[in-house]
Amino acid sequence: MENIDEHHLMGLALEEARAAVDHGDVPVGAVVVVDGRVVARRHNERERLGDPTAHAELLAIRDAAEAIGSWRLEGATVVVSLEPCPMCAGALYQARIARLVFGATDMKAGACGSLYNIGSDPRLNHEFEVVQGLRADECGALLTDFFASKRS
């Protein structure tokens, strides 16, 4: 990714993640970059929409596909605050993204390095680069604080 600072992009994803808390959703945010520009930003909206598929990544890639006029997001980078689950990793694969950058790992449901590695499974007909751990402490703290507040 030329000309775009990934730390800044993760900051945008974190802004999105914080917005999810306002309506009771798990704080996960995603940003999609195509040709050096942000074409979509979203956060989890499962609680808000009553939709189990309304994860930040899915919503963001839908918006990105609409913005560029194609379901093929070839060359796109997706930056997300939490490692994608199997559903979202599958959607990233189906969208043919080039690169995924995520913050916190998800040892319970992560599908891009923790439990599974959908992005670099040579048995599939498309692979994407995975960069993990960008601003991981900040991303993880947001999730930890959210779940701690639910328990108190």
Side-chain angles (χ1 to χ4, degrees):
M1 234 173 12
E2 311 133 16
N3 304 332
I4 295 207
D5 177 16
E6 290 178 351
H7 288 270
H8 171 71
L9 293 171
M10 186 60 78
L12 297 177
L14 284 163
E15 284 177 17
E16 286 293 326
R18 289 182 194 98
V21 175
D22 294 342
H23 45 80
D25 274 290
V26 175
V28 178
V31 174
V32 181
V33 177
V34 176
D35 294 330
R37 66 183 181 94
V38 174
V39 296
R41 308 170 44 154
R42 292 297 290 267
H43 56 270
N44 276 357
E45 294 191 38
R46 290 188 313 172
E47 297 297 330
R48 177 187 223 169
L49 299 176
D51 179 353
T53 69
H55 288 204
E57 302 95 309
L58 284 179
L59 297 172
I61 63 172
R62 286 177 188 156
D63 288 354
E66 185 176 338
I68 69 164
S70 175
W71 65 268
R72 290 180 180 271
L73 300 180
E74 294 167 337
T77 295
V78 175
V79 179
V80 62
S81 58
L82 178 65
E83 179 181 2
C85 71
M87 175 181 69
C88 293
L92 296 172
Y93 156 77
Q94 291 294 337
R96 306 297 193 264
I97 69 154
R99 191 162 195 259
L100 166 69
V101 178
F102 71 83
T105 56
D106 186 346
M107 298 309 293
K108 293 182 180 179
C112 293
S114 293
L115 296 179
Y116 306 102
N117 206 347
I118 291 173
S120 54
D121 187 331
R123 297 171 296 177
L124 298 173
N125 68 343
H126 173 73
E127 294 181 52
F128 52 88
E129 179 184 356
V130 176
V131 177
Q132 52 184 293
L134 181 66
R135 295 176 70 170
D137 291 342
E138 192 175 351
C139 295
L142 187 58
L143 291 159
T144 299
D145 292 348
F146 174 79
F147 288 113
S149 74
K150 293 289 186 191
R151 288 189 287 275
S152 52

